[in-house]
């Protein structure tokens, strides 16, 4: 016997689509299920200006198969030279929905990020004035800080002072990975939200390191201890509107993942909804799945919930491909190491 669950068509509030051949191959994997997505701007070169964002949006739409519907929600990459007036104009035109803060060196293609936060004060104040959210990669990059502690230290040293200095700024703590992140969000009002990835609900740091290095589980922020994974699962399945899905689905070709200095990122676009249904069922919280994937994100960003629906049906294990082929090489799909019984239609 099967069970069914019908929900509004979901959105992804943190997505990497890359460019060129990889974009062509991975975009349909998201558009098959998701109506909209916040598109990360860390290309090479990065998406810094409104003109950059418009050009990237056009490349995304050109790559979209004609039988699919999908709206890319564009962002700008915050640099120490970002022009507040360009940001305001891009928002006023409807082009962008957020600005992305990468501390310099924090993750893939983040070399152009912020080192001196005083130099972006004017941009942040303009964003607070016009109600434009700041999406934050929440890690410090100091060499003396252990990689597993960088999120907690960022909250204390950077995020909390930044928010206190810029009243009214709406902030999304992206891809939180710790109990510290969960607790910080829960201690504040709904001007602060957080995305949680699919893979951080499934893996802890043992999956990366035990029994050999597994590069396809290596991501940034890196997966943490089991206690943190459990805190994320509790937050995601709680029904709290401050937590919503941002997959951080991050495609890299296998040669770039399986190298002496492999890239960070888990590619989850294809099987995310099946994985999440499994996780929410395990937590006895299927009634909260719609909120997490379809409702809380639009509420934070001031957008309507999608009118279209999709249905998840529980039955026999769903087969997913091991890899997605691109003209630049194969991209390995995230393996949750459990059978997935929820099929999306």
């Amino acid at each position: 016997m099967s069970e069914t669950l019908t929900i509004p068509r979901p959105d992804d509030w943190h997505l990497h689509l890359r460019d060129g051949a990889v974009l062509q191959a991975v975009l349909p994997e998201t558009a098959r299920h998701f109506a909209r997505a916040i598109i990360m701007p860390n290309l090479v070169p990065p998406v810094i200006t409104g003109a950059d964002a418009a050009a990237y949006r056009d490349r995304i739409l050109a790559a979209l198969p004609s039988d699919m519907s999908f709206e890319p929600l564009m962002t700008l990459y915050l640099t120490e030279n970002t022009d507040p007036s360009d940001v305001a104009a891009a928002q006023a035109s409807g082009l962008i929905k957020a600005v992305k803060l990468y501390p310099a060196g924090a993750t893939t293609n983040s070399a152009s990020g912020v080192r001196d936060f005083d130099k972006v004060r004017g941009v942040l104040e303009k964003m607070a004035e016009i109600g434009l959210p700041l999406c934050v990669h929440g890690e410090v990059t100091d060499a003396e800080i252990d990689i597993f502690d960088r999120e907690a230290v960022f909250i204390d040293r950077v995020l909390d002072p930044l928010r206190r200095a810029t009243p009214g700024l709406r902030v999304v703590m992206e891809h939180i990975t710790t109990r510290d992140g969960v607790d910080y969000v829960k201690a504040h009002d709904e001007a602060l939200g957080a995305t949680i990835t699919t893979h951080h609900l499934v893996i802890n740091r043992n999956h990366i390191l035990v029994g050999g290095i597994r590069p396809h589980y290596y991501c940034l922020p890196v997966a943490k201890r089991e206690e943190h994974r459990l805190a994320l699962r509790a937050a995601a399945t709680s029904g709290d509107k401050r937590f919503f899905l941002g997959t951080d689905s991050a495609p890299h070709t296998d040669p770039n993942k399986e190298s002496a200095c492999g890239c960070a990122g888990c590619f989850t676009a294809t099987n995310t909804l099946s994985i999440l249904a499994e996780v929410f069922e395990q937590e006895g919280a299927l009634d909260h799945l719609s909120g997490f994937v379809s409702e809380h994100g639009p509420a934070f960003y001031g957008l309507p919930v999608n009118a279209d629906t999709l249905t998840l049906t529980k039955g026999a294990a769903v087969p997913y491909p091991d890899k997605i082929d691109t003209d630049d090489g194969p991209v390995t799909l995230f393996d949750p190491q459990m059978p997935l019984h929820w099929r999306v239609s």
Side-chain angles (χ1 to χ4, degrees):
M1 293 183 65
S2 65
E3 303 171 43
T4 62
L5 178 66
T6 298
I7 61 175
R9 193 174 172 202
D11 301 305
D12 186 346
W13 299 98
H14 183 129
L15 178 67
H16 296 271
L17 287 175
R18 312 303 186 204
D19 216 340
V22 173
L23 165 64
Q24 293 278 344
V26 304
L27 176 58
E29 301 303 303
T30 287
R32 185 177 296 118
H33 297 154
F34 293 90
R36 301 171 292 202
I38 287 282
I39 307 301
M40 291 296 103
N42 58 332
L43 304 182
V44 179
V47 178
I48 294 174
T49 67
D52 295 336
Y56 187 27
R57 178 197 58 191
D58 291 347
R59 296 197 300 277
I60 293 169
L61 293 175
L64 184 68
S66 60
D67 60 346
M68 288 184 166
S69 63
F70 174 74
E71 182 182 2
L73 305 176
M74 307 309 294
T75 65
L76 297 183
Y77 186 120
L78 182 62
T79 75
E80 295 174 5
N81 297 312
T82 294
D83 181 355
S85 62
D86 183 64
V87 171
Q91 191 237 21
S93 72
L95 173 63
I96 66 166
K97 294 295 185 285
V99 170
K100 179 63 184 279
L101 167 62
Y102 289 103
T107 189
T108 302
N109 300 339
S110 61
S112 301
V114 176
R115 289 179 171 82
D116 183 348
F117 285 87
D118 286 338
K119 292 183 178 179
V120 297
R121 187 71 56 202
V123 179
L124 299 181
E125 290 172 352
K126 174 58 72 172
M127 291 172 61
E129 175 188 331
I130 63 179
L132 183 64
L134 178 69
C135 296
V136 173
H137 182 109
E139 294 186 288
V140 297
T141 57
D142 311 54
E144 70 273 13
I145 303 299
D146 189 285
I147 192 170
F148 294 102
D149 297 330
R150 290 181 173 184
E151 182 174 295
V153 173
F154 181 88
I155 292 169
D156 292 337
R157 288 189 185 176
V158 179
L159 181 60
D160 197 58
L162 182 152
R163 294 182 64 243
R164 292 179 186 276
T166 320
L169 181 65
R170 296 177 62 77
V171 174
V172 180
M173 294 177 65
E174 296 197 302
H175 46 48
I176 58 171
T177 59
T178 62
R179 182 182 297 278
D180 309 77
V182 170
D183 290 345
Y184 186 76
V185 173
K186 290 167 67 174
H188 294 84
D189 63 24
E190 292 183 2
L192 178 66
T195 58
I196 301 175
T197 78
T198 307
H199 54 280
H200 284 115
L201 296 174
V202 175
I203 62 171
N204 60 35
R205 63 190 191 179
N206 281 0
H207 290 83
I208 306 170
L209 299 170
V210 172
I213 296 174
R214 292 178 168 84
H216 295 288
Y217 291 135
Y218 171 58
C219 54
L220 287 174
V222 70
K224 308 298 194 299
R225 292 180 180 272
E226 177 68 356
E227 66 180 280
H228 297 296
R229 185 184 75 92
L230 295 178
L232 296 174
R233 282 172 74 108
T237 61
S238 68
D240 189 323
K241 293 182 178 180
R242 290 167 291 188
F243 300 103
F244 41 94
L245 175 65
T247 65
D248 194 17
S249 182
H252 294 285
T253 60
D254 285 357
N256 287 318
K257 288 290 290 180
E258 299 168 0
S259 71
C261 187
C263 295
C266 295
F267 177 65
T268 59
T270 305
N271 57 1
T272 270
L273 290 180
S274 289
I275 296 171
L276 289 175
E278 207 77 37
V279 168
F280 275 66
E281 183 181 35
Q282 290 167 2
E283 298 294 321
L286 275 173
D287 56 330
H288 288 159
L289 179 62
S290 178
F292 183 69
V293 303
S294 305
E295 299 165 24
H296 301 169
F300 184 91
Y301 279 92
L303 297 171
V305 172
N306 295 307
D308 293 345
T309 62
L310 58 74
T311 298
L312 296 109
T313 302
K314 185 179 181 183
V318 183
Y320 282 103
D322 294 329
K323 300 177 187 293
I324 302 297
D325 290 326
T326 85
D327 287 346
D328 288 344
V331 173
T332 292
L333 181 64
F334 176 78
D335 178 4
Q337 295 189 8
M338 61 181 171
L340 303 177
H341 297 98
W342 291 88
R343 183 182 300 272
V344 185
S345 60

